[in-house]
Amino acid sequence: MTATATKTDTKAKVRVADVKTAGTPKRNTDALSVPVYTMSGKTADTISLPEEIFGAPWKNDLVQQVIVAVQANARTPIAHTKTRGEVRGGGKKPWKQKGTGRARHGSIRSPIWRGGGVTHGPRSERSFAQKINRKMRFAALTSVLSRKLKRGEIIFVDSISFKEPKTQKAKEAVQAIAKASGIPELSTRRVNAALIALSKKDSAVEKSFSNFGNLHTEEVRNLNPVMILTYRYLIIENPKEMIKTFSTRSASAKKRSTI
């Protein structure tokens, strides 16, 4: 794994219908009991996962709809053109209405003039936002997590922490986790290797992994299907805290759906 100065582009293309699994090593497919590793590459514990989060069925249409909505909500309209009323100049009639032998014109900033306004051009006021119901968002998230777990692409780590930002320490931790979990591709894949989900914000950890172009860190509470499907593997730090966060979100979604 090589360190680069560029962060991973989180807007990479996401394949929903079929996530490539060629070359993925076989792992324990028991969706309710998985090992938890340490940063040094040892097996610390075994954790039982809730069925409602990691045992949900794959819902392709729902995941597709939520991903399109999330990406649409992230769009920032940049292209912006000015109309004839916004461009500079054109206050005086270029020539009198009749008697010149030329066509009639009222302003040099008409769309048919060079330097004039633009007709039906893109405007930055346009909104691409789409509404996503809380229950839909959570159902799509659990569907993606369950699919990732069944394919052996989720790794649980009890804790990831550094006293100070150190890229070398982060590299050694990833290599140790890759060796312990039996997934060497985790430390050798050059593009979109893994998403590291932290239980809480930790600037030292974020800075330690920021120099790797194939890794990205994010808090568990901010996870969405787009992030998870963008990367091949998902490393979840402190899974017990993650389960509490998702259980609270599940209860909130159910409560909203019954009102």
Side-chain angles (χ1 to χ4, degrees):
M1 180 173 54
T2 58
T4 61
T6 305
K7 291 186 178 181
T8 305
D9 182 7
T10 57
K11 295 184 179 179
K13 293 183 179 179
V14 179
R15 298 187 61 182
V16 180
D18 183 24
V19 181
K20 293 183 178 181
T21 56
T24 303
K26 299 294 183 181
R27 298 180 62 208
N28 182 15
T29 57
D30 185 0
L32 297 179
S33 181
V34 294
V36 180
Y37 304 101
T38 64
M39 273 201 334
S40 59
K42 298 180 181 179
T43 303
D45 194 7
T46 300
I47 187 172
S48 296
L49 303 176
E51 184 75 19
E52 62 177 356
I53 299 176
F54 291 95
W58 174 251
K59 300 179 181 180
N60 186 75
D61 293 337
L62 175 63
V63 173
Q64 173 70 22
Q65 182 179 355
V66 171
I67 284 180
V68 170
V70 170
Q71 291 178 329
N73 294 340
R75 288 187 65 173
T76 302
I78 298 177
H80 181 80
T81 57
K82 295 182 178 181
T83 64
R84 63 183 298 166
E86 295 172 332
V87 293
R88 183 177 180 182
K92 180 182 178 182
K93 188 175 176 65
W95 50 75
K96 63 180 183 178
Q97 184 80 349
K98 295 179 179 292
T100 64
R102 291 182 287 184
R104 296 169 293 181
H105 287 289
S107 172
I108 62 173
R109 290 300 175 247
S110 169
I112 64 177
W113 281 66
R114 180 181 179 183
V118 178
T119 305
H120 305 303
R123 303 285 292 181
S124 60
E125 294 91 354
R126 181 179 178 182
S127 175
F128 296 93
Q130 298 183 23
K131 183 177 182 296
I132 312 175
N133 294 332
R134 189 176 301 182
K135 189 175 181 180
M136 290 174 54
R137 185 190 294 269
F138 183 76
L141 183 60
T142 56
S143 182
V144 171
L145 287 173
S146 300
R147 188 180 180 92
K148 280 278 187 183
L149 183 66
K150 290 178 181 178
R151 296 193 171 194
E153 296 174 350
I154 298 183
I155 304 169
F156 298 90
V157 182
D158 61 348
S159 176
I160 299 178
S161 61
F162 303 103
K163 294 181 179 180
E164 57 181 356
K166 286 291 184 181
T167 301
Q168 181 62 31
K169 295 291 184 181
K171 181 178 180 179
E172 293 174 356
V174 173
Q175 290 176 341
I177 295 172
K179 183 177 180 180
S181 59
I183 307 178
E185 187 185 13
L186 181 64
S187 60
T188 59
R189 186 179 176 89
R190 299 182 63 87
V191 180
N192 296 345
L195 172 64
I196 303 174
L198 304 175
S199 59
K200 60 182 180 180
K201 185 175 180 60
D202 190 329
S203 59
V205 175
E206 293 175 359
K207 291 178 181 179
S208 298
F209 287 101
S210 63
N211 284 333
F212 296 100
N214 57 349
L215 301 174
H216 181 70
T217 58
E218 188 57 73
E219 293 183 61
V220 168
R221 62 188 180 90
N222 296 330
L223 291 182
N224 61 56
V226 176
M227 290 183 184
I228 298 175
L229 289 178
T230 297
Y231 297 86
R232 172 59 65 89
Y233 299 102
L234 174 63
I235 301 176
I236 298 179
E237 182 256 352
N238 195 351
K240 293 182 179 179
E241 189 66 27
M242 180 273 298
I243 292 175
K244 290 181 181 179
T245 301
F246 277 70
S247 297
T248 302
R249 189 181 302 184
S250 175
S252 177
K254 291 179 179 178
K255 182 178 179 181
R256 297 278 295 185
S257 64
T258 56
I259 294 178

